[in-house]
Amino acid sequence: MGGVTMSLTTATTAARPNGKHINIYEPHEWKHSTQVAGVTWKNPVGTASGTFQYAAVRWFYDVSQLGAVCTKGCSPIPWEGNPSPRTAEGPASNLNAVGLQNPGVDHYLEDDLPKLKKAGAMVIANVAGHCDDDYMQVVAKLADSDADMLEINVSCPNVTHGGMSVGTDPVALATLMDKLRPMTDKPMIVKLTPNVTDITVPARAAVEHGADALSMINTVLGMRLNIRTGEPIIANKTGGVSGPAVLPIGIAAVYRVRTALPEIPIIGLGGIDSGEKALEYLYAGANAVEVGAAALFDPVAPLRIARELDDLLDERPELAAKLAAGKTWR
């Protein structure tokens, strides 16, 4: 919780009973921008889908200060998610099987997206589905929306392809992208799962079939057991592992995909809880990063990390210049 303590020392206002927002950080003039698929981010740090909720974080910081806000996955209709228990702890990690609970794309367009845009955020709308038609319905509704970019989460179990994740099957991923790409001119990011033998294979399929950028990694498959009962702790049995423990996996994925696909923009995520760890992803070849699990224990983590990284880039002018020009270290 050190990040929260540091943040509170820079508070410019205090919590108020009249309901007005508080600002943990005073306004900041960003020195180092980046570009992802032709879209300029004022700094290289955004939120990762799934752990960001505007209704909560708006009390702590100004979301327009972030490079980007990637929102929770949207489905064609409201999804209730998986039964409880949904979460468990692991060594330096969190295990979750929330199941993409969300109120649906119509609510997103009527409520969440307008609020974020009014606040001045650069928004990446995450798209989820259990079949190709689900994805198509959501993209059709987001195609002409105020969202700045779309992120296609291909880690969902997909009934069109036998219940397997589209992201584990390059043929299924290519088929899905062939359907989605003609539906919108918005920059389209494909979010890749690490639960494959070679992540460069689905990465190449996504790019060859219309992805403008890639984000990686989504959570790693994991499980915890209750040693008193011998049964899985979470109701879904398995779940996604996130947090500091997955940092080396995410960095390796970015490095390998950057080597295989030197031109594609990449957003790195997984285990980032400091500016230094964000910097590792940039040196691995990412154009930008997203912060996820760290925000579960430190609500201001994305903005704190952005400010730390901004200062670190002061001392690395060559890297900073590459990012601002839409290039990467590798």
Side-chain angles (χ1 to χ4, degrees):
M1 297 300 289
V4 173
T5 301
M6 180 194 71
S7 300
L8 292 174
T9 64
T10 60
T12 56
T13 59
R16 299 178 182 137
N18 60 9
K20 290 185 178 181
H21 299 180
I22 63 172
N23 294 312
I24 298 298
Y25 285 108
E26 60 191 23
H28 183 73
E29 185 174 341
W30 298 102
K31 297 163 287 185
H32 306 295
S33 64
T34 191
Q35 290 188 42
V36 179
V39 178
T40 299
W41 295 25
K42 63 183 63 177
N43 62 68
V45 180
T47 64
S49 175
T51 64
F52 174 84
Q53 184 185 32
Y54 178 61
V57 303
R58 68 193 179 98
W59 297 101
F60 299 106
Y61 64 85
D62 176 5
V63 295
S64 72
Q65 288 278 294
L66 293 169
V69 170
C70 188
T71 49
K72 187 167 176 59
C74 285
S75 55
I77 59 174
W79 284 357
E80 294 186 1
N82 292 324
S84 296
R86 295 176 167 186
T87 64
E89 292 185 4
S93 62
N94 170 70
L95 179 71
N96 88 85
V98 173
L100 294 166
Q101 178 179 341
N102 76 99
V105 67
D106 290 335
H107 179 274
Y108 180 76
L109 288 168
E110 294 169 6
D111 188 85
D112 299 333
L113 183 58
K115 288 178 180 177
L116 285 167
K117 295 306 296 182
K118 184 178 180 180
M122 203 281 282
V123 180
I124 303 172
N126 184 280
V127 179
H130 286 322
C131 62
D132 288 10
D133 187 58
D134 282 354
Y135 286 100
M136 293 174 69
Q137 288 184 55
V138 176
V139 170
K141 291 189 175 184
L142 293 173
D144 297 318
S145 71
D146 289 333
D148 297 280
M149 308 177 82
L150 304 183
E151 182 180 68
I152 312 301
N153 177 10
V154 295
S155 302
C156 315
N158 193 292
V159 297
T160 306
H161 304 285
M164 69 186 304
S165 162
V166 174
T168 64
D169 181 349
V171 175
L173 178 54
T175 299
L176 176 63
M177 289 302 296
D178 285 343
K179 294 175 180 178
L180 300 183
R181 181 67 277 177
M183 298 179 67
T184 180
D185 292 330
K186 289 188 184 297
M188 192 173 289
I189 306 160
V190 172
K191 186 171 186 177
L192 297 176
T193 174
N195 301 310
V196 292
T197 303
D198 182 356
I199 197 169
T200 68
V201 175
R204 191 178 299 278
V207 172
E208 291 178 349
H209 291 265
D212 299 296
L214 302 171
S215 59
M216 64 193 77
I217 53 172
N218 210 325
T219 54
V220 180
L221 184 66
M223 175 186 277
R224 294 300 310 277
L225 295 177
N226 183 328
I227 60 173
R228 291 186 295 274
T229 66
E231 297 301 318
I233 292 175
I234 61 175
N236 197 58
K237 297 183 173 62
T238 61
V241 180
S242 60
V246 308
L247 178 78
I249 301 170
I251 291 173
V254 169
Y255 186 93
R256 294 186 67 195
V257 173
R258 172 55 67 224
T259 302
L261 300 166
E263 302 301 324
I264 191 70
I266 295 174
I267 302 169
L269 61 152
I272 299 171
D273 59 12
S274 69
E276 288 84 358
K277 290 177 182 175
L279 187 61
E280 284 194 62
Y281 273 97
L282 299 183
Y283 276 134
N287 299 73
V289 299
E290 292 175 353
V291 177
L296 295 175
F297 61 86
D298 177 3
V300 300
L303 187 55
R304 170 178 57 79
I305 292 166
R307 290 176 65 129
E308 292 173 359
L309 181 61
D310 207 42
D311 289 340
L312 289 166
L313 288 173
D314 285 345
E315 303 167 6
R316 295 160 175 84
E318 185 179 356
L319 172 59
K322 285 178 179 290
L323 294 171
K327 300 177 182 179
T328 61
W329 184 253
R330 300 195 180 276

